[in-house]
Amino acid sequence: TALVWALISAMVAPKAVVWRTTVPRIHQVMPPVTALVTLMAAVATVLVLSRPARRLAALGGSTAVLLGALVDWPVQASIHRSPRLASAMGGSAVLHVAILLAAGVFFDASRVTRTRPRRLALAMVGCLAVGMTIATGSRAALIELFIFGAWALAAWGRYHPRIVGGLAAAGSWTCLFLGVGSGRVFPWYSIEDKFIAAPGAGIIGTPFGVALNSAHSVFVAVLTELGILMFLVLCASVVLVWANAWHDVRRRSAWAVTSMVLAATTAAWVFDTYLLKNFAVSTWWWLIAGCVLAS
């Protein structure tokens, strides 16, 4: 709902202005279009797969995410001159979401498999993924791990002892409730598309005042550009993900660990614009979310 509203607002709202340059509307329209295509591609993939096939697809995708990150790590370390884990899928600040979701998939696969050697092997890969999550050096990753770990201990500790930017002011109540238009406060796409020169300090001038070129938070981006109404929709979506995870834990679903990790990753939305940007990681998030919710 929020993405559809973002697309509509991007098409009808006034054009974004950076300093004194009017940004072509295509730069406002493309981000929600890309986000919607990402969502629909992931949902369509989940819908055409049977339940066993979803498990295999999630395991295969998780393997690719982890191997890709490990292979690309030295290359990215050289490019960024940092030992923090990163890959072409995303930088250190965002990649942890994809890796932690992969960890959840492997832990759940370990729980439902019948043979002890395979169970141990899958669990070890899950632990490797947790280590890779820490290797990103992201503060958001540590928060997610804390949430996941605390929840796992609270839910299963008794039964399994071994489980251890600023907000832009709106000009009227209508803007406050419905937003000022997608891509107007944070026109990051026009900068990444090189229509606007990248600001050295990441600061740009807009009709709403001086701001960062990117919100660096899903909640900030939605509240400022799409308004209170879509912010409430976003919060309801977070509640849905957490409620589903709680339900999966209580009934010991085959996707319980992945569901807990999925819920924990919503904490990362405070720190970056997942699902509205970072489309490689977002595709993976939507795929796992689709598998979890469809089950």
Side-chain angles (χ1 to χ4, degrees), residues 175-218:
C175 289
L176 187 63
F177 191 67
L178 300 179
V180 297
S182 179
R184 294 191 66 211
V185 180
F186 304 106
W188 60 269
Y189 191 87
S190 62
I191 296 172
E192 294 199 359
D193 198 40
K194 300 188 180 351
F195 176 78
I196 299 292
I203 302 295
I204 58 174
T206 74
F208 307 95
V210 176
L212 293 173
N213 63 338
S214 177
H216 293 291
S217 169
V218 173

Side-chain angles (χ1 to χ4, degrees), residues 274-287:
Y274 301 96
L275 313 186
L276 304 175
K277 197 181 176 185
N278 309 108
F279 297 120
V281 175
S282 297
T283 300
W284 179 238
W285 194 95
W286 281 118
L287 281 169

Side-chain angles (χ1 to χ4, degrees), residues 14 31 36 43 92 178 203 224 256 271 287 295:
L36 275 170
V43 170
S92 302
L178 300 179
I203 302 295
T224 54
F271 303 99
L287 281 169
S295 301

Side-chain angles (χ1 to χ4, degrees), residues 105-146:
V105 170
F106 275 102
F107 282 136
D108 272 330
S110 172
R111 290 174 52 241
V112 299
T113 195
R114 295 181 179 179
T115 62
R116 183 178 179 83
R118 188 178 179 186
R119 184 164 56 243
L120 181 60
L122 290 169
M124 288 178 65
V125 176
C127 291
L128 170 65
V130 170
M132 291 173 64
T133 302
I134 297 173
T136 63
S138 168
R139 289 170 292 181
L142 296 179
I143 293 173
E144 293 162 23
L145 283 171
F146 175 79

Side-chain angles (χ1 to χ4, degrees), residues 53-119:
R54 289 174 194 150
R55 172 69 64 187
L56 291 176
L59 272 173
S62 296
T63 302
V65 167
L66 298 182
L67 286 177
L70 288 174
V71 170
D72 201 23
W73 190 357
V75 177
Q76 297 298 321
S78 175
I79 293 173
H80 299 291
R81 298 181 180 179
S82 170
R84 294 171 61 184
L85 177 63
S87 79
M89 188 178 190
S92 302
V94 299
L95 183 63
H96 58 87
V97 170
I99 293 177
L100 193 54
L101 287 172
V105 170
F106 275 102
F107 282 136
D108 272 330
S110 172
R111 290 174 52 241
V112 299
T113 195
R114 295 181 179 179
T115 62
R116 183 178 179 83
R118 188 178 179 186
R119 184 164 56 243

